[in-house]
Amino acid sequence: MLSRTPEDVAAHAAAAPGLTALDADVADCFACPRLVAWREEVAVTKRASFRDQEYWGRPVPGFGPAGASIGILGLAPAAHGGNRTGRIFTGDRSGDVLFAALHRAGLANQPTSVAADDGLALRHTRIFSAVRCAPPDNKPLPAERDTCAPWLHREVSLIRPTLRVVVALGGFAWAAWWPILRHVYAQSPPVPRPAFGHGAHVTMAGLPDLLGCYHVSQQNTFTGRLTPAMLDDVFDSAKRLAGLA
């Protein structure tokens, strides 16, 4: 169903009976004019190395099985990654790092994610983002975050029966988790909010464990702020908390 207003987003998200329907509705969202204009501009102008490819140029749904016990929450799709390929963390350097780590952890069947039809499959894990469109400068506006939130809340509600742990990639994703407590679990977020940090771990009764992880951006991975060993430690912890190790 086409969504053109925040009210549409809230209504369509709430009505989605399952992940397949939700993913289709996400891909038909036009509720944030600035994001729509940017994602479509990028899909037309393209990066020179991808000039012969047809860009997705739409919101990017989540990816992974419905019965996931581990959730990975990111910020938003990359302009020439998910916005090009149609799959989150696919076709960019961040995805190269993330999926290599998931493969080492036994949570992905292959270490690369280059295209939506490349055969990649996740095990026990679903990846989704707080904002579903690629934002200019990787910085969504607060109003855009809030408009997009019902998609995230519904996605978490649909995998709630099996979800045991969430890995928040970066401070933006960490902050996006707290409203989920109220909208999905009918619990008040803690006051004050626990601070984000790599390796931060929050446990609350009746809720998935929350793990903090530096974002897999080039800014972090190229500088050594986030190393493969640090990622391995996070996913080892996630597997243990999810009862998979």
Side-chain angles (χ1 to χ4, degrees):
M1 293 181 287
L2 198 66
S3 296
R4 292 196 176 278
T5 68
E7 292 75 21
D8 288 342
V9 171
H12 295 165
L19 288 176
T20 300
L22 181 72
D23 291 348
D25 287 345
V26 166
D28 274 340
C29 188
F30 291 79
C32 297
R34 188 183 78 113
L35 298 186
V36 171
W38 174 249
R39 78 191 192 207
E40 293 181 352
E41 176 186 340
V42 169
V44 171
T45 58
K46 304 182 180 181
R47 178 173 285 170
S49 55
F50 304 130
R51 61 181 175 273
D52 296 330
Q53 298 186 22
E54 182 177 351
Y55 274 53
W56 171 254
R58 302 168 72 181
V60 181
F63 174 64
S69 53
I70 297 173
I72 299 176
L73 177 56
L75 191 164
H80 300 283
N83 190 59
R84 172 173 61 89
T85 62
R87 191 170 69 197
I88 192 70
F89 283 114
T90 295
D92 59 24
R93 296 290 181 86
S94 295
D96 292 345
V97 173
L98 177 61
F99 286 105
L102 291 174
H103 184 254
R104 291 194 301 272
L107 299 174
N109 69 328
Q110 62 189 44
T112 57
S113 180
V114 297
D117 60 355
D118 63 4
L120 175 68
L122 296 181
R123 305 182 182 110
H124 312 292
T125 305
R126 186 164 174 91
I127 303 175
F128 35 78
S129 56
V131 174
R132 304 304 168 103
C133 289
D137 300 319
N138 291 321
K139 294 180 180 178
L141 301 176
E144 294 163 347
R145 174 204 61 202
D146 295 344
T147 295
C148 209
W151 299 129
L152 174 61
H153 298 166
R154 182 58 177 158
E155 189 158 9
V156 173
S157 73
L158 289 169
I159 63 174
R160 176 179 175 178
T162 58
L163 187 63
R164 297 293 176 265
V165 57
V166 172
V167 177
L169 298 178
F172 190 97
W174 181 268
W177 174 250
W178 305 117
I180 292 172
L181 303 192
R182 181 176 294 108
H183 289 278
V184 177
Y185 294 92
Q187 293 200 31
S188 298
V191 179
R193 303 284 191 271
F196 170 75
H198 185 83
H201 179 194
V202 178
T203 299
M204 297 178 64
L207 298 172
D209 285 81
L210 178 65
L211 296 176
C213 178
Y214 290 146
H215 196 279
V216 288
S217 65
Q218 293 183 55
Q219 181 180 358
N220 287 333
T221 58
F222 281 16
T223 62
R225 187 175 189 232
L226 178 64
T227 66
M230 292 167 68
L231 268 177
D232 290 347
D233 287 344
V234 168
F235 288 125
D236 285 347
S237 295
K239 288 173 60 180
R240 175 178 51 79
L241 292 167
L244 300 174

